Amino acid sequence: MLEQIQDQDLLAQVVPVANDLADLLPRVRQICVTTQGFAPDQNQEIPHSDGGWLHDLHRELSRAGNDLAQAAEALAMARFRSPGVDAVRANELSLSALTRRTDAVTERVQRAENLLRSHGF
């Protein structure tokens, strides 16, 4: 996605945001590895857990994935500008949308980590 952004000012602003998202990958992987170690399963069903906390954890990661897709969509849309909107304002709007989605992804990952910690992991 980043390679397709022609506006160098916008690119300079979104690269740190993209890096923040990339930094979440090891955390998400650790959540998945820990959970799979706790409740190994070979099918697509979420294993039973007291109070359904594994379902809650799965929900947080699923929503993080949806928010990540929306962040990618915001980044893709940043390449386009509405008629009558100057480049500076368009970049501000694009960065704002991207940042909101990125913050949502980070929040969901933190919630998943908190669920693990609250259950002794």
Side-chain angles (χ1 to χ4, degrees):
M1 291 256 171
L2 294 175
E3 298 85 22
Q4 297 177 9
I5 296 176
Q6 301 299 317
D7 184 329
Q8 293 303 306
D9 291 332
L10 178 61
L11 185 62
Q13 293 174 335
V14 299
V15 164
V17 177
N19 287 341
D20 290 343
L21 286 171
D23 289 344
L24 292 175
L25 275 172
R27 292 170 59 186
V28 171
R29 184 177 192 291
Q30 186 59 50
I31 292 167
C32 294
V33 167
T34 300
T35 305
Q36 179 68 15
F38 168 72
D41 204 352
Q42 297 299 322
N43 62 37
Q44 297 295 318
E45 300 298 318
I46 302 168
H48 172 75
S49 57
D50 292 336
W53 71 272
L54 285 175
H55 284 270
D56 295 340
L57 187 134
H58 180 267
R59 186 178 308 109
E60 291 301 335
L61 292 180
S62 292
R63 288 181 177 169
N66 287 335
D67 289 328
L68 180 61
Q70 290 177 2
E73 180 181 45
L75 185 56
M77 295 305 293
R79 298 181 329 209
F80 306 104
R81 191 172 6 156
S82 297
V85 177
D86 68 23
V88 172
R89 181 66 180 143
N91 288 355
E92 288 172 357
L93 293 171
S94 296
L95 188 60
S96 175
L98 179 61
T99 301
R100 275 194 314 276
R101 299 287 28 115
T102 301
D103 290 346
V105 173
T106 302
E107 183 180 324
R108 299 281 185 198
V109 171
Q110 288 171 343
R111 286 181 186 174
E113 289 171 331
N114 291 341
L115 276 167
L116 279 178
R117 273 193 291 279
S118 70
H119 289 86
F121 296 96

mmCIF file of all heavy atoms in Angstrom, residues 54-91:
data_model
loop_
_atom_site.group_PDB
_atom_site.id
_atom_site.type_symbol
_atom_site.label_atom_id
_atom_site.label_comp_id
_atom_site.label_asym_id
_atom_site.label_seq_id
_atom_site.Cartn_x
_atom_site.Cartn_y
_atom_site.Cartn_z
ATOM 1 N N LEU A 54 -12.202 -17.449 26.173
ATOM 2 C CA LEU A 54 -11.542 -17.695 24.885
ATOM 3 C C LEU A 54 -12.360 -17.120 23.733
ATOM 4 O O LEU A 54 -11.804 -16.632 22.751
ATOM 5 C CB LEU A 54 -11.296 -19.189 24.677
ATOM 6 C CG LEU A 54 -10.153 -19.796 25.491
ATOM 7 C CD1 LEU A 54 -10.095 -21.309 25.285
ATOM 8 C CD2 LEU A 54 -8.823 -19.145 25.148
ATOM 9 N N HIS A 55 -13.672 -17.153 23.858
ATOM 10 C CA HIS A 55 -14.521 -16.513 22.845
ATOM 11 C C HIS A 55 -14.300 -15.003 22.857
ATOM 12 O O HIS A 55 -14.246 -14.373 21.796
ATOM 13 C CB HIS A 55 -16.000 -16.833 23.089
ATOM 14 C CG HIS A 55 -16.378 -18.211 22.673
ATOM 15 N ND1 HIS A 55 -16.817 -18.506 21.413
ATOM 16 C CD2 HIS A 55 -16.361 -19.378 23.352
ATOM 17 C CE1 HIS A 55 -17.064 -19.792 21.325
ATOM 18 N NE2 HIS A 55 -16.792 -20.356 22.485
ATOM 19 N N ASP A 56 -14.175 -14.436 24.051
ATOM 20 C CA ASP A 56 -13.917 -12.995 24.155
ATOM 21 C C ASP A 56 -12.580 -12.633 23.513
ATOM 22 O O ASP A 56 -12.463 -11.631 22.805
ATOM 23 C CB ASP A 56 -13.934 -12.542 25.616
ATOM 24 C CG ASP A 56 -15.301 -12.692 26.260
ATOM 25 O OD1 ASP A 56 -16.309 -12.772 25.522
ATOM 26 O OD2 ASP A 56 -15.363 -12.738 27.508
ATOM 27 N N LEU A 57 -11.573 -13.466 23.777
ATOM 28 C CA LEU A 57 -10.252 -13.222 23.205
ATOM 29 C C LEU A 57 -10.320 -13.322 21.680
ATOM 30 O O LEU A 57 -9.779 -12.464 20.969
ATOM 31 C CB LEU A 57 -9.244 -14.232 23.768
ATOM 32 C CG LEU A 57 -7.812 -13.958 23.368
ATOM 33 C CD1 LEU A 57 -6.919 -14.083 24.594
ATOM 34 C CD2 LEU A 57 -7.360 -14.927 22.311
ATOM 35 N N HIS A 58 -10.996 -14.342 21.182
ATOM 36 C CA HIS A 58 -11.157 -14.505 19.739
ATOM 37 C C HIS A 58 -11.876 -13.296 19.137
ATOM 38 O O HIS A 58 -11.502 -12.796 18.072
ATOM 39 C CB HIS A 58 -11.938 -15.789 19.447
ATOM 40 C CG HIS A 58 -12.142 -16.037 17.991
ATOM 41 N ND1 HIS A 58 -13.264 -15.611 17.323
ATOM 42 C CD2 HIS A 58 -11.362 -16.653 17.077
ATOM 43 C CE1 HIS A 58 -13.168 -15.952 16.051
ATOM 44 N NE2 HIS A 58 -12.027 -16.595 15.877
ATOM 45 N N ARG A 59 -12.892 -12.819 19.825
ATOM 46 C CA ARG A 59 -13.649 -11.653 19.352
ATOM 47 C C ARG A 59 -12.745 -10.428 19.247
ATOM 48 O O ARG A 59 -12.814 -9.680 18.269
ATOM 49 C CB ARG A 59 -14.823 -11.373 20.292
ATOM 50 C CG ARG A 59 -15.744 -10.269 19.806
ATOM 51 C CD ARG A 59 -16.928 -10.038 20.734
ATOM 52 N NE ARG A 59 -17.660 -11.265 21.043
ATOM 53 C CZ ARG A 59 -17.644 -11.877 22.235
ATOM 54 N NH1 ARG A 59 -16.955 -11.379 23.232
ATOM 55 N NH2 ARG A 59 -18.341 -12.978 22.430
ATOM 56 N N GLU A 60 -11.902 -10.222 20.247
ATOM 57 C CA GLU A 60 -11.000 -9.056 20.210
ATOM 58 C C GLU A 60 -10.040 -9.145 19.030
ATOM 59 O O GLU A 60 -9.805 -8.157 18.326
ATOM 60 C CB GLU A 60 -10.224 -8.921 21.526
ATOM 61 C CG GLU A 60 -11.070 -8.537 22.713
ATOM 62 C CD GLU A 60 -11.809 -7.215 22.579
ATOM 63 O OE1 GLU A 60 -11.367 -6.333 21.807
ATOM 64 O OE2 GLU A 60 -12.838 -7.048 23.247
ATOM 65 N N LEU A 61 -9.476 -10.339 18.808
ATOM 66 C CA LEU A 61 -8.550 -10.484 17.685
ATOM 67 C C LEU A 61 -9.272 -10.363 16.347
ATOM 68 O O LEU A 61 -8.727 -9.788 15.397
ATOM 69 C CB LEU A 61 -7.805 -11.815 17.776
ATOM 70 C CG LEU A 61 -6.813 -11.936 18.933
ATOM 71 C CD1 LEU A 61 -6.139 -13.296 18.901
ATOM 72 C CD2 LEU A 61 -5.788 -10.816 18.917
ATOM 73 N N SER A 62 -10.492 -10.880 16.265
ATOM 74 C CA SER A 62 -11.270 -10.737 15.024
ATOM 75 C C SER A 62 -11.575 -9.278 14.750
ATOM 76 O O SER A 62 -11.459 -8.805 13.607
ATOM 77 C CB SER A 62 -12.575 -11.521 15.118
ATOM 78 O OG SER A 62 -12.323 -12.894 15.152
ATOM 79 N N ARG A 63 -11.949 -8.563 15.771
ATOM 80 C CA ARG A 63 -12.243 -7.131 15.593
ATOM 81 C C ARG A 63 -10.977 -6.348 15.264
ATOM 82 O O ARG A 63 -11.022 -5.389 14.485
ATOM 83 C CB ARG A 63 -12.926 -6.578 16.831
ATOM 84 C CG ARG A 63 -14.359 -7.079 16.951
ATOM 85 C CD ARG A 63 -15.056 -6.524 18.159
ATOM 86 N NE ARG A 63 -16.441 -6.976 18.200
ATOM 87 C CZ ARG A 63 -17.234 -6.832 19.233
ATOM 88 N NH1 ARG A 63 -16.794 -6.232 20.330
ATOM 89 N NH2 ARG A 63 -18.470 -7.273 19.191
ATOM 90 N N ALA A 64 -9.865 -6.760 15.843
ATOM 91 C CA ALA A 64 -8.588 -6.118 15.499
ATOM 92 C C ALA A 64 -8.298 -6.316 14.016
ATOM 93 O O ALA A 64 -7.844 -5.394 13.327
ATOM 94 C CB ALA A 64 -7.448 -6.681 16.349
ATOM 95 N N GLY A 65 -8.576 -7.518 13.512
ATOM 96 C CA GLY A 65 -8.390 -7.785 12.088
ATOM 97 C C GLY A 65 -9.294 -6.919 11.223
ATOM 98 O O GLY A 65 -8.864 -6.402 10.184
ATOM 99 N N ASN A 66 -10.534 -6.752 11.648
ATOM 100 C CA ASN A 66 -11.455 -5.875 10.910
ATOM 101 C C ASN A 66 -10.980 -4.433 10.936
ATOM 102 O O ASN A 66 -11.024 -3.731 9.916
ATOM 103 C CB ASN A 66 -12.864 -5.966 11.487
ATOM 104 C CG ASN A 66 -13.543 -7.268 11.147
ATOM 105 O OD1 ASN A 66 -13.214 -7.908 10.161
ATOM 106 N ND2 ASN A 66 -14.483 -7.680 11.972
ATOM 107 N N ASP A 67 -10.518 -3.977 12.101
ATOM 108 C CA ASP A 67 -10.017 -2.608 12.196
ATOM 109 C C ASP A 67 -8.758 -2.428 11.341
ATOM 110 O O ASP A 67 -8.555 -1.372 10.740
ATOM 111 C CB ASP A 67 -9.731 -2.237 13.655
ATOM 112 C CG ASP A 67 -10.999 -2.056 14.466
ATOM 113 O OD1 ASP A 67 -12.011 -1.612 13.895
ATOM 114 O OD2 ASP A 67 -10.979 -2.359 15.680
ATOM 115 N N LEU A 68 -7.937 -3.470 11.282
ATOM 116 C CA LEU A 68 -6.742 -3.409 10.447
ATOM 117 C C LEU A 68 -7.128 -3.293 8.971
ATOM 118 O O LEU A 68 -6.526 -2.515 8.225
ATOM 119 C CB LEU A 68 -5.869 -4.643 10.674
ATOM 120 C CG LEU A 68 -4.581 -4.707 9.870
ATOM 121 C CD1 LEU A 68 -3.676 -3.524 10.198
ATOM 122 C CD2 LEU A 68 -3.864 -6.014 10.146
ATOM 123 N N ALA A 69 -8.145 -4.041 8.557
ATOM 124 C CA ALA A 69 -8.622 -3.942 7.178
ATOM 125 C C ALA A 69 -9.148 -2.536 6.892
ATOM 126 O O ALA A 69 -8.921 -1.988 5.801
ATOM 127 C CB ALA A 69 -9.708 -4.984 6.922
ATOM 128 N N GLN A 70 -9.822 -1.944 7.864
ATOM 129 C CA GLN A 70 -10.321 -0.576 7.678
ATOM 130 C C GLN A 70 -9.165 0.420 7.635
ATOM 131 O O GLN A 70 -9.233 1.425 6.911
ATOM 132 C CB GLN A 70 -11.302 -0.222 8.780
ATOM 133 C CG GLN A 70 -12.609 -0.971 8.656
ATOM 134 C CD GLN A 70 -13.564 -0.682 9.800
ATOM 135 O OE1 GLN A 70 -13.275 0.120 10.698
ATOM 136 N NE2 GLN A 70 -14.716 -1.319 9.784
ATOM 137 N N ALA A 71 -8.104 0.155 8.371
ATOM 138 C CA ALA A 71 -6.920 1.017 8.310
ATOM 139 C C ALA A 71 -6.292 0.933 6.922
ATOM 140 O O ALA A 71 -5.901 1.952 6.346
ATOM 141 C CB ALA A 71 -5.905 0.617 9.380
ATOM 142 N N ALA A 72 -6.223 -0.276 6.372
ATOM 143 C CA ALA A 72 -5.683 -0.436 5.025
ATOM 144 C C ALA A 72 -6.562 0.277 4.002
ATOM 145 O O ALA A 72 -6.058 0.897 3.058
ATOM 146 C CB ALA A 72 -5.567 -1.926 4.689
ATOM 147 N N GLU A 73 -7.863 0.198 4.205
ATOM 148 C CA GLU A 73 -8.782 0.900 3.311
ATOM 149 C C GLU A 73 -8.573 2.415 3.404
ATOM 150 O O GLU A 73 -8.536 3.111 2.387
ATOM 151 C CB GLU A 73 -10.222 0.544 3.667
ATOM 152 C CG GLU A 73 -11.245 1.219 2.793
ATOM 153 C CD GLU A 73 -12.669 0.857 3.205
ATOM 154 O OE1 GLU A 73 -12.966 0.862 4.408
ATOM 155 O OE2 GLU A 73 -13.457 0.574 2.298
ATOM 156 N N ALA A 74 -8.413 2.928 4.620
ATOM 157 C CA ALA A 74 -8.163 4.370 4.798
ATOM 158 C C ALA A 74 -6.865 4.774 4.110
ATOM 159 O O ALA A 74 -6.787 5.841 3.486
ATOM 160 C CB ALA A 74 -8.115 4.712 6.285
ATOM 161 N N LEU A 75 -5.867 3.908 4.198
ATOM 162 C CA LEU A 75 -4.587 4.195 3.548
ATOM 163 C C LEU A 75 -4.742 4.183 2.028
ATOM 164 O O LEU A 75 -4.214 5.054 1.337
ATOM 165 C CB LEU A 75 -3.540 3.171 3.987
ATOM 166 C CG LEU A 75 -2.122 3.398 3.499
ATOM 167 C CD1 LEU A 75 -1.623 4.780 3.910
ATOM 168 C CD2 LEU A 75 -1.211 2.318 4.044
ATOM 169 N N ALA A 76 -5.499 3.217 1.515
ATOM 170 C CA ALA A 76 -5.730 3.163 0.069
ATOM 171 C C ALA A 76 -6.485 4.405 -0.402
ATOM 172 O O ALA A 76 -6.170 4.963 -1.461
ATOM 173 C CB ALA A 76 -6.506 1.895 -0.286
ATOM 174 N N MET A 77 -7.463 4.835 0.374
ATOM 175 C CA MET A 77 -8.253 6.006 -0.001
ATOM 176 C C MET A 77 -7.452 7.294 0.109
ATOM 177 O O MET A 77 -7.804 8.302 -0.516
ATOM 178 C CB MET A 77 -9.518 6.090 0.862
ATOM 179 C CG MET A 77 -10.493 4.935 0.643
ATOM 180 S SD MET A 77 -10.991 4.735 -1.077
ATOM 181 C CE MET A 77 -11.917 6.232 -1.324
ATOM 182 N N ALA A 78 -6.376 7.275 0.874
ATOM 183 C CA ALA A 78 -5.549 8.474 1.037
ATOM 184 C C ALA A 78 -4.920 8.908 -0.284
ATOM 185 O O ALA A 78 -4.526 10.062 -0.437
ATOM 186 C CB ALA A 78 -4.464 8.225 2.083
ATOM 187 N N ARG A 79 -4.856 7.996 -1.228
ATOM 188 C CA ARG A 79 -4.267 8.341 -2.530
ATOM 189 C C ARG A 79 -5.179 9.246 -3.346
ATOM 190 O O ARG A 79 -4.750 9.864 -4.305
ATOM 191 C CB ARG A 79 -3.986 7.072 -3.330
ATOM 192 C CG ARG A 79 -2.999 6.158 -2.668
ATOM 193 C CD ARG A 79 -2.756 4.941 -3.513
ATOM 194 N NE ARG A 79 -3.943 4.590 -4.288
ATOM 195 C CZ ARG A 79 -4.242 3.365 -4.667
ATOM 196 N NH1 ARG A 79 -3.471 2.385 -4.352
ATOM 197 N NH2 ARG A 79 -5.332 3.132 -5.372
ATOM 198 N N PHE A 80 -6.442 9.316 -2.960
ATOM 199 C CA PHE A 80 -7.418 10.082 -3.728
ATOM 200 C C PHE A 80 -7.852 11.325 -2.942
ATOM 201 O O PHE A 80 -7.883 11.308 -1.721
ATOM 202 C CB PHE A 80 -8.641 9.214 -4.042
ATOM 203 C CG PHE A 80 -8.271 7.930 -4.710
ATOM 204 C CD1 PHE A 80 -8.288 6.743 -3.999
ATOM 205 C CD2 PHE A 80 -7.872 7.914 -6.034
ATOM 206 C CE1 PHE A 80 -7.932 5.555 -4.610
ATOM 207 C CE2 PHE A 80 -7.516 6.737 -6.655
ATOM 208 C CZ PHE A 80 -7.544 5.544 -5.938
ATOM 209 N N ARG A 81 -8.194 12.355 -3.675
ATOM 210 C CA ARG A 81 -8.617 13.593 -3.038
ATOM 211 C C ARG A 81 -9.934 14.042 -3.637
ATOM 212 O O ARG A 81 -10.112 14.008 -4.848
ATOM 213 C CB ARG A 81 -7.554 14.655 -3.259
ATOM 214 C CG ARG A 81 -7.740 15.887 -2.459
ATOM 215 C CD ARG A 81 -6.577 16.836 -2.560
ATOM 216 N NE ARG A 81 -5.569 16.436 -3.515
ATOM 217 C CZ ARG A 81 -4.738 17.257 -4.108
ATOM 218 N NH1 ARG A 81 -4.770 18.527 -3.835
ATOM 219 N NH2 ARG A 81 -3.847 16.838 -4.962
ATOM 220 N N SER A 82 -10.832 14.464 -2.773
ATOM 221 C CA SER A 82 -12.122 14.972 -3.251
ATOM 222 C C SER A 82 -11.914 16.306 -3.962
ATOM 223 O O SER A 82 -11.043 17.093 -3.566
ATOM 224 C CB SER A 82 -13.079 15.180 -2.078
ATOM 225 O OG SER A 82 -13.343 13.962 -1.446
ATOM 226 N N PRO A 83 -12.719 16.575 -4.975
ATOM 227 C CA PRO A 83 -12.612 17.874 -5.655
ATOM 228 C C PRO A 83 -12.833 19.018 -4.666
ATOM 229 O O PRO A 83 -13.710 18.949 -3.807
ATOM 230 C CB PRO A 83 -13.742 17.828 -6.685
ATOM 231 C CG PRO A 83 -14.066 16.381 -6.858
ATOM 232 C CD PRO A 83 -13.744 15.716 -5.551
ATOM 233 N N GLY A 84 -12.005 20.018 -4.767
ATOM 234 C CA GLY A 84 -12.143 21.194 -3.915
ATOM 235 C C GLY A 84 -11.431 21.086 -2.577
ATOM 236 O O GLY A 84 -11.430 22.038 -1.800
ATOM 237 N N VAL A 85 -10.835 19.939 -2.286
ATOM 238 C CA VAL A 85 -10.102 19.768 -1.025
ATOM 239 C C VAL A 85 -8.615 19.869 -1.334
ATOM 240 O O VAL A 85 -8.100 19.136 -2.177
ATOM 241 C CB VAL A 85 -10.418 18.397 -0.373
ATOM 242 C CG1 VAL A 85 -9.604 18.214 0.890
ATOM 243 C CG2 VAL A 85 -11.905 18.276 -0.098
ATOM 244 N N ASP A 86 -7.938 20.804 -0.660
ATOM 245 C CA ASP A 86 -6.513 20.962 -0.950
ATOM 246 C C ASP A 86 -5.713 19.792 -0.365
ATOM 247 O O ASP A 86 -6.193 19.032 0.477
ATOM 248 C CB ASP A 86 -5.985 22.313 -0.461
ATOM 249 C CG ASP A 86 -5.950 22.456 1.056
ATOM 250 O OD1 ASP A 86 -5.907 21.442 1.768
ATOM 251 O OD2 ASP A 86 -5.963 23.604 1.530
ATOM 252 N N ALA A 87 -4.496 19.635 -0.821
ATOM 253 C CA ALA A 87 -3.666 18.482 -0.454
ATOM 254 C C ALA A 87 -3.403 18.408 1.041
ATOM 255 O O ALA A 87 -3.438 17.326 1.625
ATOM 256 C CB ALA A 87 -2.352 18.528 -1.223
ATOM 257 N N VAL A 88 -3.158 19.537 1.679
ATOM 258 C CA VAL A 88 -2.864 19.539 3.115
ATOM 259 C C VAL A 88 -4.068 19.043 3.904
ATOM 260 O O VAL A 88 -3.948 18.173 4.779
ATOM 261 C CB VAL A 88 -2.431 20.943 3.594
ATOM 262 C CG1 VAL A 88 -2.307 20.986 5.110
ATOM 263 C CG2 VAL A 88 -1.125 21.352 2.938
ATOM 264 N N ARG A 89 -5.239 19.567 3.581
ATOM 265 C CA ARG A 89 -6.458 19.150 4.284
ATOM 266 C C ARG A 89 -6.779 17.681 3.996
ATOM 267 O O ARG A 89 -7.175 16.938 4.893
ATOM 268 C CB ARG A 89 -7.642 20.042 3.867
ATOM 269 C CG ARG A 89 -8.929 19.683 4.563
ATOM 270 C CD ARG A 89 -8.845 19.955 6.061
ATOM 271 N NE ARG A 89 -10.116 19.599 6.685
ATOM 272 C CZ ARG A 89 -10.234 19.049 7.871
ATOM 273 N NH1 ARG A 89 -9.153 18.823 8.598
ATOM 274 N NH2 ARG A 89 -11.404 18.745 8.363
ATOM 275 N N ALA A 90 -6.603 17.254 2.765
ATOM 276 C CA ALA A 90 -6.847 15.853 2.402
ATOM 277 C C ALA A 90 -5.922 14.931 3.189
ATOM 278 O O ALA A 90 -6.354 13.885 3.691
ATOM 279 C CB ALA A 90 -6.653 15.658 0.902
ATOM 280 N N ASN A 91 -4.666 15.320 3.338
ATOM 281 C CA ASN A 91 -3.716 14.509 4.111
ATOM 282 C C ASN A 91 -4.107 14.448 5.582
ATOM 283 O O ASN A 91 -3.997 13.399 6.212
ATOM 284 C CB ASN A 91 -2.298 15.047 3.965
ATOM 285 C CG ASN A 91 -1.718 14.784 2.592
ATOM 286 O OD1 ASN A 91 -2.333 14.114 1.762
ATOM 287 N ND2 ASN A 91 -0.549 15.323 2.337
#
